[in-house]
């Protein structure tokens, strides 16, 4: 009985459908052929393109260029003869309004996409910085413990300066007692 249930569960997992044929929310849907082919874009390529677009729109040259374009549009359609106006003032510059609205409707999502990608990169950089800082802190703590251990160990070991000072004191004491003599005066055994 349990073996049959296991096989049925495996079939459900393979097919992506439950026994009652309701679609499962935890698995992707099966491929469906569409009547109209949809173009596929690489998310990375599209993201890079949106970042370049957002960078371009954020420059002073874009703002100056857009100002010149709108100014020329308004001057032409206000002061040119009516026969040559393509967006007359009488219609409140409807075509210009549509063009600017279309630009804004595309610019806003592309700028948001670029900001999301930047936020993702910043998050990754922050995680890497945090990991590097943790490693540096661990290394610093290790070196601090090692230096402290060396200091404790060196307290018990006579240093060169300590030995010299002790020998100098002994020589001074020997000279005071009159036992001073050079090493060459002593008989060798």
């Amino acid at each position: 009985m349990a073996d049959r249930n296991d096989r049925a569960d495996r079939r459900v997992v393979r097919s992506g459908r439950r026994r009652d044929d309701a679609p499962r929310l935890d698995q992707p849907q099966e491929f469906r052929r569409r009547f109209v082919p949809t173009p596929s874009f690489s998310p990375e390529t599209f993201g890079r393109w949106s970042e370049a677009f957002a960078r371009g729109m954020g420059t002073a040259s874009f703002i100056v260029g857009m100002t010149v374009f709108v100014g020329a549009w308004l001057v032409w359609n206000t002061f040119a003869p009516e026969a040559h106006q393509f967006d007359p003032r009488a219609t409140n510059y409807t075509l210009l309004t549509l063009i600017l609205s279309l630009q804004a409707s595309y610019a806003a999502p592309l700028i948001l996409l670029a900001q999301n990608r930047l936020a993702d990169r910043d998050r990754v950089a922050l995680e890497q910085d945090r990991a590097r800082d943790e490693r540096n802190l661990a290394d610093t703590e290790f070196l601090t413990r090692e230096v402290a251990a060396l200091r404790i160990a060196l307290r018990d070991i006579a240093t060169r300066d300590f030995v010299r000072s002790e020998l100098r004191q002994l020589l001074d004491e020997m000279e005071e007692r009159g036992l001073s003599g050079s090493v060459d005066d002593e008989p060798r055994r």
Side-chain angles (χ1 to χ4, degrees), residues 42-175:
S42 164
E44 183 64 25
T45 303
F46 191 74
R48 275 187 265 132
W49 182 79
S50 69
E51 287 176 347
F53 180 81
R55 263 192 308 275
M57 286 191 70
T59 61
S61 61
F62 175 80
I63 293 171
V64 169
M66 185 61 115
T67 303
V68 168
F69 170 77
V70 170
W73 185 289
L74 293 174
V75 166
W76 178 265
N77 288 299
T78 302
F79 299 114
E82 283 194 32
H84 297 293
Q85 291 180 359
F86 50 87
D87 189 21
R89 183 171 186 243
T91 60
N92 292 324
Y93 307 111
T94 306
L95 185 58
L96 178 63
T97 304
L98 288 173
I99 290 171
L100 293 176
S101 296
L102 181 66
Q103 179 206 9
S105 68
Y106 277 99
L110 290 173
I111 290 170
L112 287 174
L113 177 63
Q115 286 177 339
N116 288 341
R117 287 174 51 89
L118 180 62
D120 290 341
R121 278 197 303 273
D122 288 346
R123 190 177 313 113
V124 167
L126 181 66
E127 289 171 3
Q128 291 173 346
D129 288 347
R130 186 176 296 131
R132 186 176 56 242
D133 290 345
E134 287 173 0
R135 283 192 308 270
N136 288 342
L137 180 64
D139 290 345
T140 303
E141 289 174 351
F142 172 76
L143 290 174
T144 302
R145 286 191 302 272
E146 288 296 314
V147 167
L150 285 173
R151 284 184 178 167
I152 291 171
L154 285 177
R155 285 184 193 158
D156 297 335
I157 297 175
T159 62
R160 179 177 48 190
D161 293 334
F162 174 75
V163 171
R164 282 184 181 161
S165 67
E166 289 294 317
L167 286 174
R168 199 155 273 142
Q169 286 176 359
L170 283 173
L171 281 174
D172 290 343
E173 284 179 23
M174 290 173 63
E175 285 178 357

